[in-house]
Amino acid sequence: MNRAASQPDRTVVPRQAAPGEGTRFDYDALLVGGGIMSATLATLLHQVEPTWRIGIVERLDALAEESSGPWNNAGTGHSALCELNYTPELPDGTVEVTKAVGVNEQFQLSRQLWSFLVEDGRIPEPSSFVRPSPHVSFVWGAENVDYLRRRFEALSAHPLFAGMEFSDDPEVLATWAPLLVEGREPGEPVAATRALAGTDVNFGSLTRQLVGSLVDGDAITLELGTEVRRLRRQGEGWAVRGRRTGGGSFAASARFVFVGAGGGALTLLQRAGIEEIRGYGGFPVSGVFWRTTNPEVVGRHHAKVYGKPAVGAPPMSVPHLDTRIVDGEASVMFGPYAGFSPRFLKNGSLFDLLRSVRLHNLLPMLTVALGNLGLVRYLVTQVLASRKAQLAELRAFYPQADAADWEKVVAGQRVQVIKPARGRAGLAGGSLQFGTEVIASADGSIAGLLGASPGASTAVPVMLEVLERCFGDRLEEWRPALEKMMPSYGVELGADADLAADVMERTSHVLGLEAPATSRR
């Protein structure tokens, strides 16, 4: 673990090509970026191909210092138990749950991989990165209460949402999360749902443990303090060039390259020159949270509470009041407040946005800018909001919040995907996406990840998509190993109540979490 956390391993041993294999490469797979995505992909690749030489290259001097860092994200194990933006209300009054079910299915794969690694001894103590934390949706106002009731009715019958509770009784809600109801006007309509199976995840700790177990077992090579600047075709693979922060250059070759560099992925894929990145752009959004460590407040709030976003707010700005446990210390955070910075990484450059503009993505970016003026106005309002105004939003959740208890925490950067729209004559504009998007070359030799939410929680299914798109000819050979790690791989859990209950009960036991109530047919 120490090698992964503090000391770069800079030994590169060229891999000898097998007879008839062609070009010799230093690595079978080189992963750019030291966050949860690369850590997950390295874990999967080593499991299915234990003899492959795998490298991870990180520009900073430690792992998980950008989006995967515990203070750079909300730490929510996103499973749509409480996130209202995944269950929109349709014009006919129906609550659409398809997205929520899909997100929950994805998180179950993550839980299964983590459980496998715990049972295999590669993660000694699951509480070091994941803890139970009830997930609560909370609303006020008659219309919102009615919406939440209909959402509960639509979700609670589904196997993946077994055990969800609903109440509009303030006395009951006071036992779930007392800070939410104390100090409210008598008679104000309020309601909440609660899922005890929710989690708080420290993705930074998880990243370091995943990479640490691979480095300590000599399964991968780790390069810290090394920034990749150039990707160039070399035979059937890639020549990778960069520089070290301590001085000197970095050079390696790889049969397969994954660009999991957070906001930096867009420009690296552009530099690689692959056709599939043409037209894509990025829109950076920063985030701010308010945090308190006051023992009296922290001791009375034990949940992640999500509400409804403000009109015009982007989906990743859904307000939430969260219990966080980082490095053994508890706190409560509220936010996020959206902001704007032209940086694509928290430790990036003020010129990141400008450098990402190309002739081929100029039209999609302009289309998005002109078509999202409401979002721009919202961001401007958020950026200019005073401390008093921001804390007023906190008091809508927690009426008795004392401003003196709270400090501002700047979270990580998110770069939302601007996806090109293609017409008969070529590019025909673009649209702003709020999910993640895998970009892969036609020959499968390089892939990268763009976008943000739900991000880290879906690292496992997203990296499985990378395997499927880049190594499709090997999938049947790899399937037994993948199913050993994730028994529901390739299966729709929501369609099999018994399997869903078995998977959730087993992973809850292994990870030391609250087991959801079973829902079997």
Side-chain angles (χ1 to χ4, degrees):
M1 181 63 67
N2 289 338
R3 291 172 65 197
S6 61
Q7 179 180 325
D9 182 349
R10 294 176 172 172
T11 303
V12 177
V13 180
R15 186 183 71 84
Q16 298 300 311
E21 196 176 31
T23 307
R24 296 179 179 181
F25 294 98
D26 300 324
Y27 294 100
D28 294 287
L30 187 64
L31 317 182
V32 182
I36 187 61
M37 296 297 174
S38 291
T40 300
L41 183 57
T43 299
L44 293 172
L45 284 174
H46 177 63
Q47 191 67 24
V48 298
E49 291 289 352
T51 64
W52 275 17
R53 180 158 181 78
I54 301 169
I56 295 179
V57 182
E58 165 56 43
R59 65 191 289 266
L60 300 179
D61 292 329
L63 295 167
E65 291 294 297
E66 284 283 351
S67 298
S68 301
W71 297 121
N72 290 338
N73 61 70
T76 304
H78 283 293
S79 44
L81 296 170
C82 59
E83 303 95 315
L84 301 181
N85 54 308
Y86 295 141
T87 51
E89 183 177 5
L90 302 181
D92 64 358
T94 303
V95 177
E96 176 58 61
V97 300
T98 302
K99 176 68 172 179
V101 171
V103 170
N104 196 302
E105 289 262 8
Q106 291 180 315
F107 190 59
Q108 298 306 324
L109 286 171
S110 294
R111 286 173 54 126
Q112 289 173 70
L113 177 63
W114 302 342
S115 297
F116 169 80
L117 297 171
V118 169
E119 291 180 315
D120 200 44
R122 288 187 241 175
I123 299 179
E125 178 49 62
S127 65
S128 63
F129 77 93
V130 61
R131 293 174 179 269
S133 182
H135 283 193
V136 175
S137 300
F138 178 69
V139 298
W140 55 92
E143 290 186 6
N144 290 334
V145 169
D146 178 60
Y147 157 78
L148 191 64
R149 181 182 288 107
R150 286 181 283 116
R151 177 184 185 270
F152 167 74
E153 291 169 352
L155 284 176
S156 58
H158 195 280
L160 294 178
F161 295 86
M164 179 178 284
E165 306 168 85
F166 171 88
S167 180
D168 56 5
D169 183 344
E171 292 186 5
V172 173
L173 302 189
T175 66
W176 293 359
L179 302 186
L180 303 178
V181 294
E182 294 174 355
R184 290 194 177 274
E185 290 294 327
E188 180 182 14
V190 292
T193 58
R194 181 176 70 162
L196 295 177
T199 54
D200 176 59
V201 186
N202 184 332
F203 290 104
S205 175
L206 177 60
T207 298
R208 290 187 291 272
Q209 292 188 68
L210 292 178
V211 175
S213 67
L214 294 169
V215 171
D216 289 342
D218 294 323
I220 68 170
T221 297
L222 174 63
E223 294 272 355
L224 296 175
T226 302
E227 181 180 11
V228 171
R229 303 295 301 275
R230 183 182 177 192
L231 296 165
R232 181 176 56 81
R233 289 277 188 180
Q234 180 176 315
E236 297 176 350
W238 294 86
V240 183
R241 301 291 183 267
R243 64 183 182 188
R244 305 186 193 279
T245 55
S249 61
F250 169 80
S253 60
R255 185 174 302 281
F256 168 75
V257 172
F258 171 68
V259 184
L266 174 62
T267 50
L268 278 177
L269 289 171
Q270 289 174 334
R271 291 172 185 173
I274 60 174
E275 180 65 25
E276 291 76 10
I277 197 63
R278 289 182 61 83
Y280 278 88
F283 182 78
V285 178
S286 59
V288 172
F289 284 88
W290 289 94
R291 178 178 64 190
T292 179
T293 55
N294 183 332
E296 294 183 6
V297 177
V298 175
R300 302 186 67 227
H301 188 74
H302 306 286
K304 289 184 175 290
V305 182
Y306 277 58
K308 294 196 75 174
V311 176
M316 74 288 188
S317 293
V318 174
H320 43 101
L321 186 69
D322 293 350
T323 295
R324 294 302 314 274
I325 299 178
V326 176
D327 298 329
E329 295 191 6
S331 62
V332 173
M333 295 179 67
F334 178 78
Y337 298 90
F340 175 77
S341 167
R343 290 184 172 91
F344 277 7
L345 293 165
K346 192 173 182 179
N347 294 283
S349 166
L350 290 172
F351 298 101
D352 285 343
L353 176 58
L354 181 62
R355 289 169 178 162
S356 73
V357 178
R358 303 286 194 278
L359 283 176
H360 59 72
N361 67 11
L362 186 57
L363 177 60
M365 293 181 75
L366 289 174
T367 302
V368 166
L370 294 175
N372 290 271
L373 294 179
L375 173 60
V376 173
R377 285 193 295 269
Y378 171 80
L379 292 176
V380 171
T381 300
Q382 289 270 292
V383 170
L384 298 178
S386 65
R387 172 186 172 91
K388 181 179 180 180
Q390 290 188 346
L391 291 175
E393 293 185 40
L394 166 61
R395 292 193 181 98
F397 257 69
Y398 170 21
Q400 296 183 336
D402 184 346
D405 291 335
W406 299 81
E407 63 176 344
K408 183 176 289 189
V409 176
V410 178
Q413 284 288 102
R414 301 291 183 269
V415 178
Q416 308 303 322
V417 180
I418 294 177
K419 186 174 182 177
R422 305 187 189 278
R424 292 182 179 179
L427 292 177
S431 60
L432 189 63
Q433 307 289 309
F434 290 100
T436 53
E437 181 120 2
V438 173
I439 305 294
S441 63
D443 64 356
S445 65
I446 187 170
L449 185 66
L450 305 180
S453 184
S457 296
T458 58
V460 174
V462 171
M463 292 305 98
L464 286 172
E465 181 183 348
V466 170
L467 296 186
E468 292 162 359
R469 293 182 59 177
C470 297
F471 302 97
D473 59 336
R474 296 176 180 263
L475 274 185
E476 286 308 307
E477 177 188 347
W478 290 351
R479 185 172 296 278
L482 294 173
E483 291 177 345
K484 182 179 179 181
M485 291 184 284
M486 296 155 289
S488 74
Y489 173 68
V491 177
E492 186 180 342
L493 271 181
D496 189 332
D498 288 337
L499 178 60
D502 288 341
V503 165
M504 290 191 290
E505 289 172 7
R506 185 184 71 82
T507 58
S508 294
H509 173 72
V510 174
L511 297 175
L513 305 174
E514 179 78 28
T518 58
S519 176
R520 301 173 188 267
R521 294 190 179 95

